[in-house]
Amino acid sequence: MPDFEIDRTVLQQSMARPIGIELRGGALNYGGTPVFEELDLDIPVGRTTCLLGPSGVGKSSLLRLIAGISPEAEAQRLVASDGAPIAGRLAFMDQRDLLLPWLNVFDNVTLGARLRGETVDRHRAGLLLQRVGLADQAEMLPAALSGGMRQRAALARTLMEDRPVILMDEPFSALDALTRLRLQDLAAQLLAGRSALLVTHDPMEALRLGHRILVLSGDPARMGDPLEPLGEPPRPADDPILHGLAARILHDLAG
Amino acid sequence: MQTTLRALTSLAVLLAGWQALVWATEVEPFILPGPWLVLQSLVGHLELIGRHAAVTLLEIVLGLICGCGLGVASAIGLSWFPNLRRWLLPLLVVTQAIPVFALAPVLVLWLGYGLASKVMMTSLIIYFPVTAAFLDGLRRTEPGWLDLAQIMTAGGTNPDRWTILRHIRIPAALPALASGLRVAAAVAPIGAVVGEWVGSSVGLGYLMLHANGRMQIDLLFAALFVLAVMAVTIFFTLDWLLRRLLPWQPDSLPNN
């Protein structure tokens, strides 16, 4: 693979100045009852933080609060680690691919630049598509792709944004087990060095991908102490220690 | 191919039934002419029918262009200005309760016997379905796409609504607009013909009314036949065009 070195440098050189995120006093009310209140969350620089919890606990709302697209939730303090505003320095990936059905894969991946009226970096887009294995599908419409391919296109679009902080809301939960495993490996490689928050309900996914794992549970929800498994992500899916940890987390969540 | 064959078969059955009815009832040709007589009349008056058909076709096409253009512009305007929507939308719905055909004589009075009153009539009956369908599409944009676009443009120098409208809302609403345009294509010939009935000296509607008055029912049927062919051609041309232009909108109805 002679291209690989160039590929890596181009993708990394263009990386924006790294920042982390600091959230204090996050609160969400739903129909008068608090889903969570007085919640703190940090996204440390250059590391992947996984937010784990049962459904309905408000973890997606917390992510949307940071993304600035949650009208219901509010925070007393939400700042970037360098003190500048967060807006415009986030990329977002949803459980649904959110590809625009009338644009081909390439145009979907480069949507952000066109919305901002910037020139499209075709070279970088090409490299990213190659990296996620969609170089041959660049001209295809999303409807012609499989679920896994669509989510890979969404991953390429997220990374194409070249933002210092990446927020992912259960990005792989709609995929079959094998595709999910492959995409987790790919995401871990591409997220290396970036500040990321990944929301998931799957303990094994959090344990494979997270430098730091936070568990959100209870009513109103509270944040548990951060868990920092050994080794660098992506951790092997067949590691018995991870499976033991996953079982314990599940047990705690169920209890 | 199969579809064409099926359409031709149903047409043949229809014509045979019609001829059988004429033979069985021995009805006078000036009450109900048989299909053969109609065909003879069509061939015999080809030049006359063609001349009137050309005018009606022009009225339909101009009406479609005006009505659809106005409808598209109104939908975008109403989606852009919430205040306009609050004030105008109820009014628009109420005006739909007025049968537009009842306005035809007034339109002739205001705009004269010529082309303008028919184009206006056609535009009027097209306008509402196009506006309503497109506005509906513009309002129902997938929220996830809008969230994504908001995050992508946040903090920029001009995170303007126009960009979102142009890149996301309008393309997302095109399938809904296409439904409105199909309805428009189907009802446009009605508008033109009603306009001609009320007051004109040319057009298929005029020719039919004239033939009816002079008991030339075979000519009336021949003109009606041409009108039907024209309407069906306009509809299917538009339908084909829309399918070509919006290939991402899948047809999920089973095809057999």
Side-chain angles (χ1 to χ4, degrees):
Chain A
M1 294 254 281
D3 279 357
F4 191 67
E5 277 311 307
I6 315 162
D7 163 342
R8 174 164 278 178
T9 31
V10 169
L11 291 182
Q12 284 183 345
Q13 261 174 3
S14 52
M15 264 175 63
R17 193 156 49 96
I19 54 162
I21 299 278
E22 196 184 305
L23 167 75
R24 294 288 174 269
L28 171 66
N29 277 283
Y30 196 80
T33 50
V35 177
F36 56 73
E37 50 192 4
E38 292 297 311
L39 211 60
D40 299 342
L41 174 74
D42 286 307
I43 306 175
V45 177
R47 313 187 76 196
T48 299
T49 302
C50 287
L51 181 59
L52 190 64
S55 52
V57 80
K59 50 190 194 304
S60 283
S61 303
L62 198 56
L63 179 138
R64 298 173 78 81
L65 168 63
I66 297 169
I69 51 171
S70 172
E72 309 89 28
E74 48 192 33
Q76 283 162 9
R77 182 177 151 79
L78 176 59
V79 289
S81 56
D82 62 0
I86 299 178
R89 300 203 282 174
L90 300 167
F92 169 65
M93 181 171 173
D94 194 59
Q95 176 178 352
R96 298 162 302 155
D97 54 70
L98 296 180
L99 297 173
L100 301 176
W102 58 89
L103 295 181
N104 67 25
V105 171
F106 186 91
D107 289 342
N108 262 297
V109 167
T110 54
L111 176 70
R114 263 175 301 117
L115 286 181
R116 291 186 294 271
E118 302 165 358
T119 32
V120 170
D121 187 344
R122 303 186 66 86
H123 179 62
R124 199 177 126 77
L127 286 177
L128 266 170
L129 280 175
Q130 210 172 359
R131 201 70 187 77
V132 300
L134 289 175
D136 294 337
Q137 283 80 20
E139 304 292 320
M140 285 175 147
L141 288 181
L145 305 183
S146 69
M149 286 167 141
R150 294 167 65 108
Q151 209 57 0
R152 272 187 278 154
L155 181 62
R157 181 188 57 201
T158 311
L159 295 166
M160 187 67 200
E161 285 295 274
D162 195 25
R163 300 283 178 86
V165 179
I166 294 177
L167 306 175
M168 301 173 115
D169 192 359
E170 309 207 10
F172 313 122
S173 58
L175 302 171
D176 66 87
L178 187 62
T179 311
R180 191 186 312 146
L181 216 59
R182 287 187 181 140
L183 260 172
Q184 285 170 353
D185 286 329
L186 183 64
Q189 288 167 27
L190 292 169
L191 288 178
R194 291 170 194 263
S195 317
L197 177 66
L198 189 148
V199 163
T200 178
H201 59 248
D202 176 4
M204 202 55 207
E205 181 168 281
L207 288 165
R208 289 199 69 211
L209 296 181
H211 291 96
R212 224 162 134 261
I213 295 157
L214 299 167
V215 181
L216 189 64
S217 63
D219 185 19
R222 302 205 173 283
M223 198 75 85
D225 291 328
L227 193 71
E228 303 200 10
L230 294 172
E232 276 297 301
R235 302 187 185 89
D238 54 0
D239 185 343
I241 299 174
L242 290 191
H243 280 278
L245 271 171
R248 220 181 64 203
I249 293 172
L250 270 181
H251 182 263
D252 289 351
L253 286 176
Chain B
M1 196 60 217
Q2 276 257 311
T3 327
T4 326
L5 204 68
R6 237 171 304 181
L8 285 177
T9 313
S10 4
L11 193 67
V13 169
L14 199 71
L15 287 178
W18 179 2
Q19 186 65 64
L21 187 72
V22 171
W23 276 335
T25 56
E26 291 181 346
V27 66
E28 295 290 346
F30 61 82
I31 300 292
L32 179 65
W36 180 243
L37 199 61
V38 172
L39 185 68
Q40 276 179 319
S41 172
L42 178 63
V43 174
H45 297 101
L46 207 56
E47 197 267 333
L48 176 78
I49 295 176
R51 190 154 44 84
H52 288 279
V55 173
T56 304
L57 184 65
L58 185 66
E59 290 163 2
I60 295 173
V61 170
L62 286 179
L64 271 173
I65 292 170
C66 293
C68 293
L70 275 174
V72 166
S74 304
I76 290 177
L78 289 170
S79 79
W80 189 262
F81 301 107
N83 272 327
L84 199 65
R85 190 162 65 240
R86 270 191 287 276
W87 286 95
L88 264 181
L89 202 58
L91 198 70
L92 208 65
V93 174
V94 169
T95 56
Q96 279 308 297
I98 304 167
V100 190
F101 303 124
L103 290 178
V106 189
L107 288 180
V108 173
L109 183 70
W110 288 344
L111 299 171
Y113 258 52
L115 206 64
S117 56
K118 286 79 193 173
V119 172
M120 186 68 182
M121 184 73 220
T122 311
S123 307
L124 269 182
I125 67 166
I126 286 170
Y127 173 76
F128 189 75
V130 172
T131 308
F134 194 31
L135 183 61
D136 208 42
L138 288 170
R139 296 166 96 165
R140 286 172 202 269
T141 317
E142 158 69 52
W145 295 340
L146 297 176
D147 287 343
L148 189 71
Q150 196 193 322
I151 292 169
M152 282 173 162
T153 56
T157 42
N158 57 338
D160 53 342
R161 286 169 67 206
W162 172 243
T163 307
I164 306 276
L165 186 73
R166 189 161 66 93
H167 285 280
I168 298 182
R169 278 194 193 273
I170 290 180
L174 289 182
L177 173 62
S179 308
L181 294 183
R182 287 192 181 94
V183 173
V187 298
I190 304 175
V193 168
V194 169
E196 286 169 0
W197 279 349
V198 172
S200 70
S201 53
V202 69
L204 284 179
Y206 163 79
L207 183 67
M208 283 158 70
L209 210 61
H210 197 67
N212 197 39
R214 292 193 301 168
M215 290 293 198
Q216 289 178 315
I217 307 303
D218 50 340
L219 180 59
L220 184 147
F221 270 85
L224 189 62
F225 174 75
V226 171
L227 182 67
V229 168
M230 228 157 64
V232 167
T233 309
I234 288 170
F235 181 83
F236 282 107
T237 308
L238 190 80
D239 187 55
W240 174 81
L241 207 67
L242 290 172
R243 276 173 205 275
R244 286 285 305 269
L245 291 174
L246 309 175
W248 74 86
Q249 187 62 20
D251 194 340
S252 55
L253 282 179
N255 214 357
N256 45 4

